[in-house]
Amino acid sequence: MLNVTPSDQGLGAKVENLDLSQPLTQENYKKVEGLLGQYGVLCFPKQNLTALQLRDFSSKFGTLEINVANVYQEPGLPDVMILSNKRVDGKPIGLGDAGQDWHTDMSYSKMIAFTNVLYGIEIPHRNGQPLGNTEFSNMRAAYLALPEELKQKLEGKTILHDFNKFWENMRKQPGSTRAPLTEAQRKAKPPVSHPVFLTHPITGEKVLYANPGYSIQINELPKEDSDEILNFLFEHQLQPQFRYSHRWTEGDVLMWDNIGTIHNAVADYKPDEPRFIKRCQVMADRYFPQAA
Ligand code: OGA
Ligand code: MN
């Protein structure tokens, strides 16, 4: 039996008594899917996984993304990505600044992301406290709390999401090593539109599908109106009562719902405080096959 302990925050639950190195039964797959819809963020503590086992578990939930621009891959397993600030012989061995602003994964893509699965292998600590938390905010709660008038105004409207917005924001951070996207890279990732409100495929409930990292324009509104409303949404969606902050422990597998939540990687650790995480991004093709 799975042992589920909800957090006392706006979302999140700890799930024990499931060894992710073993093949996931259909029954447990269904349970985990339901819990992900219900709690948005699941932590499976004390896991001990090979990269292959991480991939096998993740791929139960949909097709894995192979990030073409990403050179930080597990050798031989291009769908397992490395997030790390570590260097070997002066060279980075992982993407060091992944997710360091509020966003949801792959909203810039026609096929959006369903869930991201991170396996924490090295977690930085200072004075006995873990650093590099991953913070989340609950977009079902954010939808419900919108003023009625705005819900009506935005119903049926769409938002344009641009990969380059996040990329450029990261480039502005001190010490960034990101080069501007080339013309070819920009062409490969043109902005895409999605409804402002999505119906969550697991819960059937509406969620606000907007995020400061990638959202650039409400298509059906004049620019000025759109800017004003997007700024309102970006502030609205980060209210403390919607939030949950995950404090990492080595061996955690953290899995989150990329449709009903947004997240932010807290950049509060230094280059000599190592963080090393393996990651599989699962696309939502099980739920939106027509977008594939
Ligand atoms: C990501 C991401 C957060 C983190 O992998 O998409 O946002 O805390 N990671 O590493
Ligand atoms: Mn992310």
Side-chain angles (χ1 to χ4, degrees):
M1 276 294 282
L2 302 190
N3 187 5
V4 181
T5 315
S7 86
D8 55 5
Q9 301 175 51
L11 69 176
K14 181 169 73 178
V15 184
E16 291 166 302
N17 212 14
L18 185 63
D19 179 355
L20 303 187
S21 72
Q22 300 302 310
L24 191 66
T25 63
Q26 186 59 20
E27 190 191 344
N28 280 336
Y29 162 72
K30 274 287 159 201
K31 278 190 192 154
V32 171
E33 183 194 42
L35 291 171
L36 196 57
Q38 188 176 356
Y39 295 109
V41 186
L42 303 179
C43 177
F44 303 86
K46 299 192 172 77
Q47 300 292 328
N48 188 358
L49 301 180
T50 63
L52 195 60
Q53 287 164 339
L54 175 67
R55 189 192 74 172
D56 287 348
F57 169 74
S58 307
S59 63
K60 273 279 193 179
F61 295 85
T63 302
L64 301 184
E65 183 211 14
I66 300 181
N67 192 321
V68 280
N70 166 43
V71 290
Y72 304 116
Q73 297 167 348
E74 179 76 15
L77 294 176
D79 39 18
V80 179
M81 182 170 165
I82 309 295
L83 308 181
S84 188
N85 59 344
K86 290 172 74 166
R87 287 169 176 262
V88 172
D89 298 331
K91 287 202 192 76
I93 58 165
L95 185 62
D97 61 359
Q100 294 177 352
D101 189 8
W102 283 96
H103 67 288
T104 199
D105 299 327
M106 294 183 74
S107 70
Y108 55 80
S109 171
K110 209 169 124 213
M111 175 57 74
I112 60 175
F114 165 49
T115 181
N116 200 351
V117 187
L118 264 56
Y119 175 39
I121 296 168
E122 281 179 72
I123 304 302
H125 284 81
R126 201 182 298 152
N127 306 324
Q129 297 299 318
L131 299 168
N133 284 6
T134 311
E135 304 183 287
F136 297 87
S137 196
N138 184 335
M139 292 305 104
R140 171 178 170 263
Y143 170 78
L144 290 173
L146 282 175
E148 203 49 49
E149 205 183 315
L150 190 59
K151 271 190 207 161
Q152 280 169 23
K153 180 168 177 152
L154 295 178
E155 188 58 51
K157 296 204 169 35
T158 59
I159 293 180
L160 196 64
H161 299 260
D162 188 359
F163 181 74
N164 194 49
K165 180 183 184 187
F166 197 90
W167 193 272
E168 280 300 312
N169 282 340
M170 293 314 300
R171 275 173 33 77
K172 287 191 200 116
Q173 300 306 309
S176 172
T177 55
R178 295 191 191 213
L181 292 180
T182 62
E183 202 55 37
Q185 284 172 316
R186 292 200 64 167
K187 274 219 180 94
K189 290 185 186 293
V192 301
S193 296
H194 299 293
V196 182
F197 305 132
L198 284 181
T199 299
H200 196 283
I202 300 173
T203 62
E205 292 177 304
K206 278 194 186 165
V207 300
L208 170 61
Y209 195 71
N211 67 83
Y214 297 118
S215 302
I216 57 170
Q217 162 87 44
I218 300 169
N219 292 300
E220 296 81 2
L221 297 179
K223 173 101 174 67
E224 220 171 282
D225 242 21
S226 161
D227 284 352
E228 194 181 313
I229 293 177
L230 281 181
N231 286 335
F232 172 85
L233 292 177
F234 296 158
E235 218 177 282
H236 169 85
Q237 67 187 167
L238 291 178
Q239 292 177 57
Q241 68 272 28
F242 308 149
R243 305 266 287 266
Y244 165 70
S245 184
H246 179 69
R247 288 159 58 89
W248 284 89
T249 302
E250 284 85 358
D252 283 350
V253 167
L254 192 72
M255 174 178 197
W256 65 81
D257 165 13
N258 265 317
I259 300 173
T261 72
I262 61 172
H263 61 279
N264 170 45
V266 179
D268 59 353
Y269 53 97
K270 301 212 173 69
D272 61 348
E273 294 171 313
R275 189 177 197 252
F276 187 81
I277 284 178
K278 293 189 181 178
R279 169 202 205 250
C280 288
Q281 182 72 262
V282 184
M283 297 186 289
D285 55 345
R286 277 198 164 209
Y287 306 102
F288 303 106
Q290 68 285 1

